Amino acid sequence: MAEKLAPEKSHSFIHNGQKVFDWDQTLEEVNMYITLPPDVPKKLFYCRIDSKHVEVGIKGNPPYLNHDFTGPVKTDSSFWTLEDDIMHITLQKRDKGKTWSSPITGQGQLDPYATDLEQKRLMLQRFQEENPGFDFSQAQFSGDCPDPRTFMGGIRSD
């Protein structure tokens, strides 16, 4: 049932008509997916993740990404991997349940409607996590969706 509340699709950050990366989020993580350029040895790619900043690039070249995050991340549980021709960056949110409108500050922000849909999806994810055995995949909110971090006492941490 929880998989029904997983991100329905990833969002794309497009700059000057070119896709920079795709991304999605859960209550706990933000995932970024960067398509790697062909014919570059994998060992030349790098990614540095700080609590509020990311740098991605090819050694010996200016960084491809060099931006602050929308929110702070836990560096000890954030990581990156190379799978086929994709760099997958998994960022552990420091503020579980916070809805990010983009992984990086000031770039590729979701519009207010899409941000609201993300917040509703994260709230349903929270309900599912706190009430195993119930299926919230068809639930809907009427009106404004509360913040999943603070609603009814906030997110429980076990």
Side-chain angles (χ1 to χ4, degrees):
M1 283 177 252
E3 29 317 314
K4 293 180 184 176
L5 296 172
E8 293 175 11
K9 67 177 185 81
S10 61
H11 307 286
S12 294
F13 169 42
I14 309 291
H15 182 69
N16 290 335
Q18 190 169 12
K19 182 170 70 170
V20 179
F21 59 80
D22 290 321
W23 69 281
D24 60 38
Q25 68 183 309
T26 65
L27 281 172
E28 298 178 352
E29 297 177 344
V30 172
N31 296 290
M32 297 172 65
Y33 309 94
I34 301 171
T35 303
L36 303 174
D39 303 326
V40 177
K42 303 284 188 253
K43 65 183 179 184
L44 293 180
F45 292 102
Y46 72 92
C47 178
R48 284 192 200 92
I49 301 170
D50 295 324
S51 65
K52 296 182 181 179
H53 192 84
V54 65
E55 183 177 308
V56 174
I58 299 171
K59 294 175 186 170
N61 292 288
Y64 176 71
L65 285 178
N66 191 12
H67 294 282
D68 289 335
F69 292 127
T70 298
V73 302
K74 297 177 182 177
T75 56
D76 59 341
S77 51
S78 296
F79 59 93
W80 62 282
T81 60
L82 298 177
E83 300 173 27
D84 299 321
D85 293 331
I86 305 287
M87 178 182 281
H88 178 185
I89 303 170
T90 301
L91 305 168
Q92 191 76 29
K93 294 177 182 177
R94 189 175 299 158
D95 302 321
K96 180 180 176 182
K98 180 175 171 130
T99 305
W100 288 23
S101 59
S102 173
I104 55 178
T105 302
Q107 301 291 326
Q109 306 296 116
L110 295 177
D111 62 57
Y113 178 74
T115 300
D116 185 57
L117 290 177
E118 278 292 293
Q119 184 157 325
K120 288 176 180 177
R121 190 182 54 74
L122 292 180
M123 178 59 94
L124 292 175
Q125 237 182 25
R126 177 187 156 188
F127 288 157
Q128 186 69 55
E129 186 178 283
E130 292 177 357
N131 299 282
F134 289 92
D135 183 359
F136 291 96
S137 63
Q138 299 300 314
Q140 296 181 359
F141 289 95
S142 59
D144 291 336
C145 177
D147 185 335
R149 292 175 300 153
T150 58
F151 181 70
M152 293 185 69
I155 292 178
R156 294 184 220 150
S157 56
D158 299 329

